[in-house]
Amino acid sequence: MKKVMEKIKSKKAVISAVSLVLLVGIIFWAVNSPAVVGVSAGDRELPIYCVQREDKCVALSFDAAWGNEDTQALIDILDKYDINATFFVVGDWVSKYPDSVKALHDAGNEVMSHSDDHAHFSSLSEDEIKANIKASNDKIENVTGERPTLFRCPYGEYNDTVIKTVSEMGMTAIQWDVDSLDWKGLSADEIQSRVLNNVKSGSIILFHNAAENTPEALPGIIEALLADGYTIVPISQIILTGDYTIDNTGMQCPLKQEKNA
């Protein structure tokens, strides 16, 4: 009888051990499953990549960090079609080319911040981010008389700290959903094809000043968009104001109003 009891206890111990292993396995799976990880990913701070709109409205944006040889050409092209765009400029670029910055602003284009020195913002602390953006904003305001309200991260790099800090400064972080890849030296036809094949209502399109073939590609892009019924506006006029949310693709969406019972 004693031996039988010992065997029963032994079996119970084995069962308990197996149960513990299974429990640990279940917990590990739950924590690391795609569904749970997806919830965490959904809570990530995001910039605005595009906007949920149904009115065939798009925004053109240009990043200015290095050369300046095409700035006036871009101004003239936009002026020809009576449209304006948003230029994200680096503070160092403002210091080098203040006359071009003023010309952009005087032509009705938005001049917004692209940092002070095109640093990798994901490696900066909150205080470093604030100091960097403030330096850029100060330079832009000194030339244009207007303080930037929008910010584009250099290299398109960001993390939660970057986006939260930008928001705390009263600014909105802006990305893009259509990349012309003009900085790669693509031909004008290739740039046009990339943009027109990917654009949709609410798109924010990325170009660069001083890109080799952008001035040649831009008129055809503008003409095609206008012919297709699109309105082209600066970014501050395409993004939503008031209450909104940003989905996991970076699309800015209006908050749905609950119907009265």
Side-chain angles (χ1 to χ4, degrees):
M1 185 68 178
K2 184 177 181 181
K3 289 183 178 181
V4 173
M5 293 300 295
E6 287 177 351
K7 285 183 180 181
I8 292 173
K9 288 182 180 179
S10 177
K11 285 182 179 181
K12 287 184 177 179
V14 170
I15 292 172
S16 298
V18 171
S19 299
L20 180 60
V21 170
L22 288 174
L23 178 61
V24 171
I26 290 170
I27 293 172
F28 179 84
W29 174 86
V31 171
N32 292 279
S33 70
V36 176
V37 172
V39 171
S40 298
D43 293 337
R44 185 182 181 192
E45 297 286 337
L46 293 174
I48 295 172
Y49 282 72
C50 60
V51 184
Q52 185 181 65
R53 299 183 68 114
E54 305 298 333
D55 55 356
K56 299 201 78 170
C57 186
V58 298
L60 307 182
S61 66
F62 297 80
D63 288 358
W66 293 283
N68 187 42
E69 54 269 29
D70 295 332
T71 306
Q72 189 57 52
L74 297 176
I75 292 173
D76 293 341
I77 292 168
L78 294 170
D79 186 60
K80 175 183 176 181
Y81 295 97
D82 194 26
I83 62 174
N84 293 119
T86 302
F87 285 76
F88 290 96
V89 301
V90 171
D92 288 346
W93 194 85
V94 177
S95 298
K96 289 180 181 178
Y97 310 112
D99 290 343
S100 291
V101 174
K102 189 174 188 304
L104 286 168
H105 175 265
D106 290 349
N109 298 293
E110 292 183 336
V111 182
M112 299 294 177
S113 176
H114 193 35
S115 82
D116 194 49
D117 54 2
H118 214 267
H120 290 275
F121 266 50
S122 294
S123 65
L124 301 182
S125 67
E126 181 178 340
D127 288 342
E128 289 171 330
I129 292 168
K130 288 181 178 179
N132 192 301
I133 296 177
K134 181 181 182 302
S136 170
N137 288 351
D138 288 346
K139 292 175 182 178
I140 293 170
E141 185 175 22
N142 285 340
V143 174
T144 67
E146 295 185 19
R147 198 160 187 83
T149 57
L150 306 178
F151 176 76
R152 174 167 284 164
C153 300
Y155 309 102
E157 296 177 358
Y158 62 88
N159 56 24
D160 285 357
T161 299
V162 173
I163 304 305
K164 285 181 179 178
T165 303
V166 171
S167 297
E168 288 172 0
M169 296 181 71
M171 302 178 71
T172 303
I174 301 294
Q175 203 83 335
W176 60 86
D177 68 318
V178 179
D179 190 347
S180 69
L181 292 182
D182 56 353
W183 59 273
K184 285 190 171 183
L186 300 184
S187 69
D189 287 343
E190 288 172 321
I191 293 171
Q192 287 185 33
S193 179
R194 278 195 58 82
V195 172
L196 297 177
N197 286 338
N198 291 287
V199 73
K200 63 180 184 295
S201 184
S203 281
I204 296 173
I205 306 169
L206 171 65
F207 299 99
H208 297 78
N209 84 312
E212 183 179 1
N213 295 310
T214 299
E216 182 183 352
L218 192 57
I221 292 171
I222 293 173
E223 290 173 8
L225 290 172
L226 294 176
D228 198 25
Y230 281 97
T231 300
I232 302 173
V233 299
I235 291 174
S236 68
Q237 294 181 29
I238 200 173
I239 59 177
L240 306 174
T241 58
D243 294 331
Y244 65 84
T245 184
I246 299 177
D247 71 14
N248 60 4
T249 70
M251 177 182 286
Q252 184 193 34
C253 308
L255 285 179
K256 295 181 179 180
Q257 300 294 325
E258 295 184 3
K259 295 182 179 180
N260 293 328

